[in-house]
């Protein structure tokens, strides 16, 4: 079967995108997206969507400029499950790194849940190296609609952007 190449565009995520982002997760997860869009309006973050010709987002993620000093933290990266391992995450990270460079910063950092080896392999392939660990936690919505606090060990990874 011949390889099909679908052109992708990267743009800012907006409130208009949220109804089509059900693939991202639960109502709690979508509330995090809505908050990120508000933070982008204030200039604290860049929050991007990767889209095929339909214009619907198939991947999202952000760069947070509020910490640490002199670097940006890449966070909330997600690719629609059916489209993972197609290079879309690489496109998203490259676009975020470009935004970080445009702000005059030379370092990008991110954290990866130690229970998720697959994303870590991507980050390492893109040049990120482990720089420490921390405990991370966030709210997650369960199948019954209740909210629980997820806690895990996070490996911090860093890359110099030249």
């Amino acid at each position: 079967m011949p390889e099909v190449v679908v052109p992708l565009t990267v743009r800012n995520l907006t409130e208009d995108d949220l109804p089509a982002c059900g693939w991202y997760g639960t109502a709690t997860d979508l509330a995090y997206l809505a908050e990120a869009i508000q933070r982008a309006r204030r200039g604290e973050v860049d929050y991007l969507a990767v889209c095929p010709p339909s214009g619907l987002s198939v991947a999202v993620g952000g760069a947070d400029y509020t910490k640490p000093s002199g670097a940006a933290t890449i966070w909330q990266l997600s690719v629609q499950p059916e489209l993972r391992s197609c290079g879309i995450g690489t496109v998203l990270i490259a676009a975020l790194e470009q935004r970080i460079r445009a702000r005059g910063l030379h370092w990008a950092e991110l954290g990866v849940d130690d229970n998720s080896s697959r994303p870590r392999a991507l980050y390492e392939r893109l040049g990120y190296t482990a720089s420490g660990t921390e405990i991370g936690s966030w709210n997650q919505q369960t199948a019954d609609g209740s909210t629980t606090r997820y806690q895990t060990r996070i490996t911090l990874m860093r890359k110099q952007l030249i």
Side-chain angles (χ1 to χ4, degrees):
M1 183 186 269
E3 182 178 319
V4 175
V5 178
V6 176
L8 298 171
T9 58
V10 181
R11 60 173 174 74
N12 292 330
L13 187 75
T14 70
E15 284 94 354
D16 292 341
D17 294 310
L18 293 178
C21 286
W23 59 266
Y24 186 78
T26 66
T28 300
D29 299 325
L30 291 173
Y32 288 134
L33 286 184
E35 180 184 339
I37 292 167
Q38 294 303 315
R39 293 186 66 210
R41 276 202 186 103
R42 295 190 300 266
E44 298 170 4
V45 305
D46 279 313
Y47 210 86
L48 305 180
V50 179
C51 306
S54 69
L56 299 175
S57 64
V58 296
V60 297
D64 187 332
Y65 303 107
T66 62
K67 61 177 181 148
S69 179
T73 300
I74 293 176
W75 100 119
Q76 290 186 349
L77 300 174
S78 188
V79 175
Q80 193 169 344
E82 303 82 18
L83 298 173
R84 291 181 182 155
S85 297
C86 294
I88 297 169
T90 300
V91 169
L92 176 59
I93 292 169
L96 289 166
E97 290 174 352
Q98 184 177 19
R99 295 279 184 108
I100 293 166
R101 279 188 212 94
R103 290 207 183 200
L105 300 173
H106 301 288
W107 288 95
E109 297 186 339
L110 54 81
V112 62
D113 185 338
D114 283 358
N115 295 319
S116 302
S117 61
R118 192 164 178 228
R120 182 173 177 160
L122 169 63
Y123 306 146
E124 288 173 342
R125 192 169 63 251
L126 296 177
Y128 288 82
T129 57
S131 60
T133 61
E134 68 182 16
I135 300 299
S137 62
W138 53 88
N139 290 335
Q140 287 187 326
Q141 189 173 344
T142 62
D144 68 5
S146 63
T147 301
T148 62
R149 192 79 175 157
Y150 177 75
Q151 187 169 344
T152 188
R153 190 174 126 199
I154 303 288
T155 295
L156 302 173
M157 303 186 80
R158 189 171 174 100
K159 177 180 177 181
Q160 185 171 13
L161 305 176
I162 301 172

